[in-house]
Amino acid sequence: ILAPLSSFAFKVDAGENLNLTAPIQGDYYVVGGNVNLNTTTNGDVCSAGGKIFINGDVKEDLLLAGGEMFINGNIGESARIIGGTIIFDGTIEKDLLIAGGNIIINGNSTIQGETKIAGGKVDFAGTANNIDLNAGEINLKGTIKGNATIRAEKISFEPTAKILGDLYYESSKQDTGFEQIVQGKVTFKQVNYH
């Protein structure tokens, strides 16, 4: 099926410093040194840049690659993010996939689908269904409604952490005291990281 190009709704921008405040009625593709998206996008957002700020809702998918990314908004479908520093504060209706150096998922964050995170340091304070975390260092503060798989050299659990399903974890040493955090079964596999 062929459709005229004018029937596709999308916007494309490129530049050193981009600041968008007008609502976007379709998909948005943007590349820049500093990207500030301070509006609602009624489609997908695909962006690459040095610093990316998403301060508004994205009604469909979010795809980001950059040095530093700050997401303060709700994502209507899935999010895929790759970067150095990633800070997320919002709701994702479907899946979240993140790979980065320093990853922070704030306490107001909720992921409705699957969550897969790989990074150097991960600080997870949000709420997720099933989660798969792989990092050098993981600090879990949030609530996992289903099962958690954690692979890290250093794992720490804050008193606010809850895993309502099972926990499978790989680390260089076995920890104890999960009874108050994990409602399901705990399985450990020792792995040497050096």
Side-chain angles (χ1 to χ4, degrees):
I1 296 175
L2 296 175
L5 187 58
S6 62
S7 69
F8 296 102
F10 64 90
K11 178 175 177 54
V12 178
D13 277 325
E16 183 58 34
N17 293 299
L18 299 164
N19 187 21
L20 193 67
T21 57
I24 299 168
Q25 300 302 320
D27 297 339
Y28 186 46
Y29 302 92
V30 59
V31 177
N34 295 299
V35 177
N36 293 294
L37 184 58
N38 297 303
T39 187
T40 297
T41 305
N42 289 315
D44 298 335
V45 169
C46 181
S47 180
K51 285 188 180 181
I52 302 171
F53 299 87
I54 306 291
N55 295 308
D57 295 342
V58 176
K59 300 296 183 178
E60 293 183 13
D61 290 326
L62 176 68
L63 176 60
L64 300 178
E68 297 177 80
M69 286 161 283
F70 307 89
I71 302 101
N72 300 298
N74 300 317
I75 312 304
E77 293 187 10
S78 296
R80 294 164 195 88
I81 305 166
I82 299 171
T85 297
I86 302 161
I87 300 173
F88 183 82
D89 196 349
T91 297
I92 298 175
E93 293 299 324
K94 291 188 179 179
D95 300 331
L96 171 63
L97 174 61
I98 292 182
N102 186 27
I103 301 163
I104 300 169
I105 309 296
N106 286 325
N108 295 325
S109 301
T110 301
I111 300 100
Q112 302 293 342
E114 298 294 315
T115 301
K116 294 185 183 286
I117 299 175
K121 182 177 180 188
V122 175
D123 191 1
F124 189 92
T127 300
N129 286 325
N130 296 317
I131 194 165
D132 189 334
L133 300 172
N134 297 275
E137 182 179 338
I138 295 173
N139 185 18
L140 185 64
K141 302 176 187 177
T143 300
I144 310 306
K145 294 180 179 179
N147 298 324
T149 299
I150 300 175
R151 295 173 188 90
E153 186 171 353
K154 181 178 178 189
I155 303 170
S156 61
F157 294 93
E158 298 290 327
T160 56
K162 293 182 186 117
I163 299 173
L164 305 181
D166 297 337
L167 168 64
Y168 171 84
Y169 74 104
E170 294 179 6
S171 188
S172 56
K173 66 176 185 156
Q174 186 171 8
D175 292 318
T176 59
F178 292 120
E179 297 80 20
Q180 296 177 356
I181 296 169
V182 181
Q183 290 187 0
K185 180 176 77 170
V186 176
T187 304
F188 168 72
K189 179 181 178 184
Q190 186 166 8
V191 177
N192 293 323
Y193 288 95
H194 300 288

